[in-house]
Amino acid sequence: LAARDHRLATARDRLARDELLIEYRVADATLLRFDESTSGVGDIPLSAGYQLYASDARSMSAWLTVKAPLGDASDLTGSGAVDVALSLSAQSALNEAWDVFGQVNAVWLGDGDLLPQLQESAVFSALAGITWNPWRELDLTMQFEGNSRVFDGGGTDLSGDAILMTFGGSYRTPGGWQLDLGISEDIDVGASPDIAFNVAARR
């Protein structure tokens, strides 16, 4: 292990620093190459929701989302297509300390400019989780989520469905702030990043 770690460190030392390269190749054909930093307005989703049911312990809502292609596929700020999504979400309180929740989504993808020859026409996703409130200021949540593939990667990891497990929590301060921290781990190894950290603060 020590020898392997030394080889990896030596290889990193030979790589250029502060450089960006996103490239997707099949055989000898380069289908996507992006090596410049960029900034700008990305695609913007517009959503409308309706609460189907609500009580003190349970609720259910439906959402319709349309994504406006204001970004540009050439610099990866957008896909170049109008996408439409339908979502159904629900939650239920098991008791004063425990809640369960879930959501299912169906997305119809327009004809985009980003790898159009590989893009699927529809994507489906779902999530389910449970939240524990050990005391008033703190919520701890565990969530499982999965989605079908967006691109047909021809037998590569891009062609697989992704399954993730996320664990995290929210802490509310007396001053009105809420701090969120989450850690996501890929269960289906190779179809998504090994680990991702999510941090948010709101008031």
Side-chain angles (χ1 to χ4, degrees):
L1 290 177
R4 185 198 65 180
D5 292 342
H6 175 71
R7 290 195 301 270
L8 290 176
T10 303
R12 291 192 187 100
D13 291 339
R14 293 197 298 267
L15 295 176
R17 295 182 178 272
D18 299 320
E19 296 291 336
L20 171 68
L21 175 60
I22 300 173
E23 187 176 67
Y24 180 62
R25 302 179 63 188
V26 176
D28 294 331
T30 300
L31 303 183
L32 175 68
R33 181 180 175 86
F34 186 82
D35 59 3
E36 297 180 359
S37 63
T38 187
S39 62
V41 177
D43 292 349
I44 295 180
L46 304 173
S47 299
Y50 181 76
Q51 192 163 59
L52 302 174
Y53 175 81
S55 69
D56 291 340
R58 298 176 180 85
S59 65
M60 179 179 292
S61 301
W63 292 85
L64 177 67
T65 302
V66 177
K67 190 203 68 176
L70 299 183
D72 190 344
S74 64
D75 59 13
L76 298 186
T77 58
S79 68
V82 175
D83 302 331
V84 179
L86 181 62
S87 305
L88 183 67
S89 61
Q91 62 181 27
S92 177
L94 302 179
N95 52 43
E96 292 184 356
W98 293 90
D99 292 291
V100 293
F101 59 90
Q103 181 170 315
V104 292
N105 311 283
V107 184
W108 290 268
L109 301 175
D111 295 330
D113 300 325
L114 189 62
L115 300 177
Q117 68 274 40
L118 302 179
Q119 179 193 293
E120 299 288 349
S121 59
V123 176
F124 303 94
S125 63
L127 65 86
I130 187 168
T131 297
W132 176 41
N133 177 228
W135 63 83
R136 183 176 179 181
E137 293 82 7
L138 179 66
D139 290 330
L140 298 176
T141 298
M142 177 174 286
Q143 172 180 299
F144 293 88
E145 58 186 303
N147 65 269
S148 63
R149 66 186 187 186
V150 180
F151 296 99
D152 181 2
T156 68
D157 290 338
L158 279 178
S159 65
D161 303 330
I163 304 175
L164 298 173
M165 179 182 70
T166 302
F167 176 79
S170 299
Y171 179 75
R172 295 172 292 276
T173 70
W177 284 92
Q178 178 173 315
L179 305 177
D180 302 329
L181 174 64
I183 301 174
S184 297
E185 174 72 18
D186 60 331
I187 297 178
D188 186 4
V189 178
S192 56
D194 289 337
I195 189 170
F197 298 93
N198 306 284
V199 181
R202 63 176 66 94
R203 182 178 173 84

